[in-house]
């Protein structure tokens, strides 16, 4: 597997004028390229296509210049995060007609950038990531109707993606309506009914909360205080259900708590790879998700560590610890 580092930890939860301002794409690339463990380095990066890293309406020349910048660091581009959320380009996939139109527009913009990166040569694999982009409480006002709307919106976005030779992966986070539990996630994917184009993006930190039923107690597979003997059968149930849909994967750690800001409130906390409070055996858990990955077209895995303090992100040891753990995952496959 190719090993990638996510660039959006330099953006998500960051605010200009505070002690945690956004970290530029150039700086994130520098830190990624500098990391090395036993001679192995990151192969590439995954990008969030929004300001200040990337203008989703940037000119072709500007996108090519970004591609040159990434390639100059010896890195490739993998998956792209489409700006589907309110406040970016898009809106909730189960929102108003305009919201849903803008959601599809965000995917169109991501596909255009994907085409430029492919033509440049810096991108040879990966997909486009989406969410439902709407909250759990709003979704819960009409679960059946809103799931139907999400599916309709995702199908329209899927048609756009297919025209560009792209696939869409919906990241399972408990903060997004219709994706807030493993059962709801499967219901939404099945309602969309485009398994060749619209699939699932599994993140170890986020899917841990699926086990605990944080936003859907009726779907919980474990209770607090569970034993190791209880954990692994539950994890098998979760991964067996979602693995056939899984076409993108984030290595991560979770300490069992939730954390977030703004629209990402109360989502799975990303912890450092060596966090002593981490609940997951990262390597073993990853192998559950990555069985048959090549058959599903997966060529890379990515680390996701959102909402870390800037001093941690600026520490070279952070990226080397992560890289070392990702190497362990790759060697276990």
């Amino acid at each position: 597997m190719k090993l990638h580092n996510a660039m959006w930890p330099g953006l998500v939860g960051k605010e200009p004028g505070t002690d945690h301002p956004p970290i530029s794409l150039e700086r994130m690339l520098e830190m990624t390229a500098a990391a090395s463990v036993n001679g192995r380095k990151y192969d590439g990066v995954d990008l969030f296509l929004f300001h200040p890293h990337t203008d989703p309406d940037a000119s072709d020349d500007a996108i090519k210049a970004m591609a040159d910048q990434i390639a100059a660091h010896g890195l490739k581009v993998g998956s792209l995060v489409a700006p589907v959320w309110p406040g970016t380009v898009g809106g909730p996939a189960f929102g108003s007609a305009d919201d849903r139109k803008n959601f599809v527009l965000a995917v169109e913009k991501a596909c255009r950038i994907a085409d430029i990166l492919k033509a440049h040569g810096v991108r040879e694999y990966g997909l486009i990531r989406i969410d439902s982009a709407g909250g759990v409480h709003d979704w819960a006002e009409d679960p059946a109707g809103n799931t139907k709307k999400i599916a309709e919106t995702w199908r329209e976005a899927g048609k756009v993606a297919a025209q560009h030779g792209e696939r869409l992966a919906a990241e399972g986070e408990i903060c997004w309506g219709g994706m807030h539990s493993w059962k709801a996630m499967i219901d939404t994917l099945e309602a969309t009914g485009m398994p060749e184009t619209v699939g699932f993006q599994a993140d170890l930190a986020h899917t841990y909360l699926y086990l605990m039923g944080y936003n859907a107690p009726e779907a919980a597979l474990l209770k607090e205080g569970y034993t190791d003997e209880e954990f692994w059968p539950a994890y098998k149930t979760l991964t067996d259900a979602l693995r056939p849909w899984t076409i993108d994967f984030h290595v991560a750690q979770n300490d069992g708590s939730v954390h977030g800001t703004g629209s990402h409130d109360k989502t799975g906390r990303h912890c450092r790879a060596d966090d002593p409070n981490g609940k997951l055996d990262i390597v073993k858990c990853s192998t559950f998700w990555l069985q048959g990955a090549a058959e599903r077209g997966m060529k890379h895995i990515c680390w996701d560590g959102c909402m870390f303090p800037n001093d941690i992100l600026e520490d070279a040891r952070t990226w080397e610890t992560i890289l070392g753990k990702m190497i362990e995952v790759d060697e276990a496959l």
Side-chain angles (χ1 to χ4, degrees):
M1 282 282 192
K2 301 293 187 182
L3 307 181
H4 280 219
N5 193 17
M7 296 293 92
W8 53 84
L11 298 179
V12 178
K14 307 302 179 185
E15 300 176 29
T18 69
D19 61 356
H20 51 276
I23 300 173
S24 70
L25 177 60
E26 174 58 28
R27 180 63 180 141
M28 292 294 291
L29 291 170
E30 288 174 356
M31 294 188 291
T32 301
S36 179
V37 175
N38 296 326
R40 189 165 181 185
K41 302 176 74 67
Y42 288 101
D43 299 296
V45 296
D46 287 4
L47 302 175
F48 175 35
L49 302 179
F50 199 66
H51 307 281
H53 280 191
T54 309
D55 180 352
D57 294 309
S59 68
D60 289 15
D61 286 345
I63 298 301
K64 291 174 185 176
M66 179 182 70
D68 286 340
Q69 180 184 40
I70 294 168
H73 286 286
L75 299 167
K76 294 287 188 179
V77 176
S79 295
L80 308 173
V81 181
V84 296
W85 301 279
T88 59
V89 173
F94 56 94
S96 67
D98 283 345
D99 287 333
R100 297 166 71 189
K101 179 180 178 181
N102 287 335
F103 186 103
V104 176
L105 178 62
V107 172
E108 290 177 354
K109 291 179 184 292
C111 286
R112 170 187 161 263
I113 293 173
D115 286 344
I116 297 168
L117 296 175
K118 285 185 287 190
H120 176 280
V122 76
R123 183 169 181 263
E124 301 170 349
Y125 49 83
L127 41 71
I128 292 172
R129 203 189 89 197
I130 59 172
D131 286 312
S132 68
V136 178
H137 293 298
D138 291 335
W139 172 87
E141 293 178 1
D142 181 9
N146 286 327
T147 295
K148 182 179 179 182
K149 285 183 178 179
I150 297 170
E152 291 170 349
T153 305
W154 284 4
R155 278 197 295 273
E156 290 305 308
K159 292 174 186 176
V160 170
Q163 291 171 358
H164 292 264
E166 295 289 340
R167 294 189 295 172
L168 305 180
E171 183 178 29
E173 289 193 62
I174 61 169
C175 61
W176 302 122
M179 308 174 65
H180 58 286
S181 76
W182 65 279
K183 290 187 175 181
M185 185 75 253
I186 291 171
D187 287 346
T188 303
L189 288 167
E190 290 180 343
T192 304
M194 295 179 71
E196 71 288 350
T197 304
V198 182
F200 182 65
Q201 193 269 309
D203 176 298
L204 287 183
H206 296 316
T207 53
Y208 176 78
L209 274 298
Y210 276 177
L211 289 172
M212 308 309 296
Y214 189 87
N215 273 337
E218 70 281 2
L221 294 169
L222 290 172
K223 296 180 180 179
E224 292 293 340
Y226 60 81
T227 65
D228 205 49
E229 289 74 20
E230 292 169 325
F231 178 85
W232 293 111
Y235 209 69
K236 185 176 187 300
T237 296
L238 174 70
T239 54
D240 282 355
L242 282 166
R243 188 190 308 109
W245 293 95
T246 301
I247 55 177
D248 202 37
F249 182 70
H250 285 171
V251 182
Q253 181 58 286
N254 186 291
D255 65 1
S257 66
V258 296
H259 176 67
T261 60
S263 62
H264 282 75
D265 192 24
K266 294 185 178 179
T267 193
R269 178 187 290 272
H270 284 121
C271 296
R272 298 171 73 164
D274 57 354
D275 192 314
N277 296 315
K279 297 290 188 179
L280 300 171
D281 179 331
I282 292 174
V283 175
K284 186 174 180 179
C285 287
S286 295
T287 63
F288 277 69
W289 291 102
L290 294 172
Q291 293 172 29
E295 299 165 13
R296 300 191 299 277
M298 298 170 65
K299 296 183 179 180
H300 83 292
I301 55 178
C302 183
W303 173 267
D304 194 348
C306 284
M307 300 186 189
F308 286 1
N310 283 25
D311 59 345
I312 291 177
L313 294 176
E314 291 279 0
D315 187 341
R317 292 171 296 180
T318 296
W319 306 112
E320 291 179 349
T321 300
I322 290 165
L323 178 58
K325 187 59 65 174
M326 293 183 75
I327 292 170
E328 288 183 45
V329 170
D330 188 39
E331 291 176 344
L333 299 180

